[in-house]
Amino acid sequence: MRYISTRGQAPVLGFEDTMLTGLARDGGLYVPEEVPALSHGDIAALAGLSYEEVAVRIMAPFVADAFDEATFADLVAKAYAGFGHDARAPLKQLAPNHFLLELFHGPTLAFKDFAMQLIGQMFQHSLAKRGQKVTIVGATSGDTGSAAIEAFRGLEAVDVFILYPHGRVSDVQRRQMTTPSESNVHALALTGHFDDCQARVKDMFNDFDFRDRVALAGVNSINFARVLAQVVYFFTAAVSLGAPHRKVSFTVPTGNFGDIFAGHIAKRMGLPIEHLVVATNQNDILHRCLTTGEYRTGEVHPSISPSMDIQVSSNFERALHLAYDGDGSAIAQLMAELKTGGFTVSQGALQALREVYASGRASEAQTSAAITRTLAHGAELLCPHSAVGVEVAEAHLGTTPMVTLATAHPAKFPDAVEAATGIRPPLPPRMADLFDRPERITRVDNDLTDIETLIDEARAA
Ligand SMILES: *Cc1c(COP(=O)(O)O)cnc(C)c1O
């Protein structure tokens, strides 16, 4: 399969190079040139298969030029072996027509593990085959960083540097990044917001001297391999609720738009998804854009769902690329306008977006109330991100089954959960000693040269 940039000016790549590259050299994001379609029969045949078997069937056409099917099946098996639930992504019923897809049974308790554990396996395999080493840089609001460090710790062929906003991640998130002792992983606490972290990562990719010198690779959801791994659970959930014979809707707590865009890919592949609902917290730029067509950045307002505190939602560019019928120069133009405050989506593109996406927002008070209410009604303790999803989903319930993605375990955000319920959710036993392990923290200013110097020095050490 060939992958092209959303901005139309970067080399066309196969899967392996797309995965190892991250951001395209024209500043765009890689997307498959064409999304393979599954037949009704192909989808029906997924019923009853294990998560891993479905994963191989869904992803095989996208990765075929990099891995033969037996090799890929082996990587998938290793990726999910460490999950704390046999179903990997179990579905729970909340109400007659409302289901919760639990995506937090991986090693760092957030859905990011689904992609990151697999990417760790794929990177290791590809780099060993090529005899290469890479430097991975990533920006995180907390969960991507911990998932990446967990997936890459101790691997020979990679050095990992994760930028997170100092003082704006939860203690559990920070400790998952700062307690691994392997010398190839580095958590950097940047003075600023998540958007600053993400902007500095993009700057490093656009500094071609640095990029080539350190063999830069990215594992943020700008990396298409991340999005791809997340397509799988839309299929497993929908098929267990009756697809392809019945339609299913999904509500996705959204920040960088990677997870919900995976749902869009699933729909393009033929999964009968009726509504894909974007759920935002008070940082509601995506909800406002889908409502008005205006994408205008403002201040980030820190919330109790910090992994969704965002103004520049990278993967929205991929959805825009589809909505503009693959017109790379139109996307490049919008992204240039974004640098100076925002852009207006054309009428035709807005209509195309609305055919796929609905949206809603949850305030801080509504989010807390959703945690309290869901515990009272169904004995399910939600993390604040999942609660944003449940709040928004409840406004979109209809005759089609609704699946809300539970993106993190409540124990990852114990303060918000305790404030709403009086219950402080304990960490699962396998990570109960997290607060006893020593931390390693490196502070860094929001300055590109400082960050690059630090990375050069750490690699030389
Ligand atoms: C990353 C994250 C999100 C947002 O996902 P995107 O793919 O960035 O939209 C939501 N909830 C949690 C817990 C996360 O870690």
Side-chain angles (χ1 to χ4, degrees):
M1 182 169 298
R2 288 153 47 96
Y3 291 83
I4 57 171
S5 166
T6 47
R7 302 189 195 175
Q9 298 294 320
V12 174
L13 301 177
F15 178 76
E16 195 163 54
D17 286 312
T18 300
M19 171 181 82
L20 294 173
T21 298
L23 197 65
R25 287 179 97 88
D26 60 1
L29 279 66
Y30 276 103
V31 287
E33 195 169 40
E34 251 172 73
V35 174
L38 298 186
S39 69
H40 196 271
D42 292 338
I43 299 173
L46 300 174
L49 299 186
S50 70
Y51 188 87
E52 284 82 348
E53 287 168 323
V54 175
V56 171
R57 290 205 192 175
I58 297 301
M59 291 190 274
F62 292 90
V63 305
D65 61 27
F67 309 105
D68 63 62
E69 199 157 317
T71 305
F72 188 60
D74 183 47
L75 300 179
V76 166
K78 286 190 190 134
Y80 300 122
F83 276 49
H85 196 297
D86 284 346
R88 311 310 181 209
L91 208 52
K92 275 209 181 152
Q93 188 158 17
L94 286 182
N97 225 6
H98 191 185
F99 299 82
L100 197 67
L101 183 61
E102 291 187 347
L103 300 175
F104 50 70
H105 296 286
T108 68
L109 307 181
F111 80 88
K112 307 289 199 300
D113 289 321
F114 277 90
M116 213 62 85
Q117 285 293 317
L118 181 60
I119 286 195
Q121 296 295 333
M122 293 193 293
F123 263 65
Q124 191 177 15
H125 187 273
S126 294
L127 291 171
K129 188 179 66 188
R130 294 174 168 212
Q132 288 177 359
K133 289 189 79 164
V134 294
T135 302
I136 291 172
V137 295
T140 187
S141 50
D143 294 326
T144 296
S146 45
I149 285 176
E150 185 62 35
F152 289 100
R153 59 193 287 188
L155 297 192
E156 276 284 308
V158 288
D159 287 304
V160 182
F161 296 86
I162 298 295
L163 295 172
Y164 70 90
H166 178 67
R168 298 188 193 277
V169 300
S170 79
D171 290 347
V172 174
Q173 289 177 316
R174 190 192 67 249
R175 285 185 159 272
Q176 286 179 335
M177 292 189 278
T178 59
T179 58
S181 58
E182 289 84 353
S183 61
N184 74 321
V185 295
H186 308 266
L188 310 181
L190 180 135
T191 309
H193 285 286
F194 168 68
D195 285 312
D196 299 315
C197 298
Q198 179 158 262
R200 296 298 79 74
V201 166
K202 287 191 179 170
D203 290 346
M204 283 186 258
F205 275 99
N206 288 322
D207 176 351
F208 290 145
D209 274 351
F210 177 78
R211 176 174 184 163
D212 294 336
R213 181 168 77 242
V214 306
L216 207 59
V219 294
N220 277 104
S221 52
I222 53 177
N223 192 322
F224 184 75
R226 282 275 304 280
V227 174
L228 176 60
Q230 293 164 195
V231 174
V232 176
Y233 45 68
F234 286 89
F235 275 93
T236 58
V239 166
S240 66
L241 291 173
H245 317 289
R246 265 169 105 196
K247 287 188 176 185
V248 179
S249 292
F250 289 91
T251 299
V252 184
T254 296
N256 226 345
F257 215 79
D259 212 9
I260 192 149
F261 186 72
H264 192 166
I265 297 276
K267 183 168 171 144
R268 286 225 152 194
M269 291 177 77
L271 191 66
I273 297 178
E274 179 158 279
H275 296 298
L276 264 180
V277 186
V278 174
T280 75
N281 66 22
Q282 60 187 358
N283 296 289
D284 60 354
I285 186 163
L286 290 163
H287 173 53
R288 279 185 286 122
C289 179
L290 288 164
T291 311
T292 66
E294 296 290 320
Y295 193 100
R296 301 268 160 236
T297 54
E299 289 282 292
V300 173
H301 298 289
S303 77
I304 56 172
S305 47
S307 303
M308 296 156 63
D309 289 348
I310 193 167
Q311 292 291 325
V312 180
S313 182
S314 288
N315 280 285
F316 194 49
E317 180 170 342
R318 289 189 163 114
L320 288 168
H321 182 253
L322 289 175
Y324 278 84
D325 279 330
D327 180 351
S329 53
I331 302 303
Q333 174 66 33
L334 295 182
M335 294 302 134
E337 289 172 30
L338 181 58
K339 290 227 156 100
T340 57
F343 55 81
T344 306
V345 180
S346 74
Q347 269 309 317
L350 186 59
Q351 201 179 333
L353 285 170
R354 286 183 183 153
E355 273 164 25
V356 180
Y357 298 104
S359 66
R361 107 195 266 273
S363 68
E364 295 289 273
Q366 288 172 318
T367 305
S368 294
I371 298 177
T372 313
R373 175 172 83 235
T374 307
L375 179 65
H377 291 175
E380 179 84 17
L381 208 49
L382 296 175
C383 96
H385 308 78
S386 313
V388 167
V390 165
E391 170 71 20
V392 171
E394 286 179 356
H396 286 85
L397 292 179
T399 52
T400 304
M402 173 66 80
V403 177
T404 297
L405 274 53
T407 50
H409 192 286
K412 222 168 172 178
F413 304 93
D415 295 340
V417 175
E418 186 173 14
T421 63
I423 296 172
R424 196 164 180 87
L427 285 167
R430 64 184 188 281
M431 57 194 73
D433 67 340
L434 188 64
F435 281 80
D436 304 328
R437 301 179 203 157
E439 289 192 84
R440 267 192 308 148
I441 301 181
T442 307
R443 292 290 307 272
V444 62
D445 285 335
N446 181 16
D447 180 281
L448 181 64
T449 310
D450 285 3
I451 298 167
E452 290 184 347
T453 304
L454 192 150
I455 292 176
D456 277 327
E457 286 172 1
R459 289 180 67 249

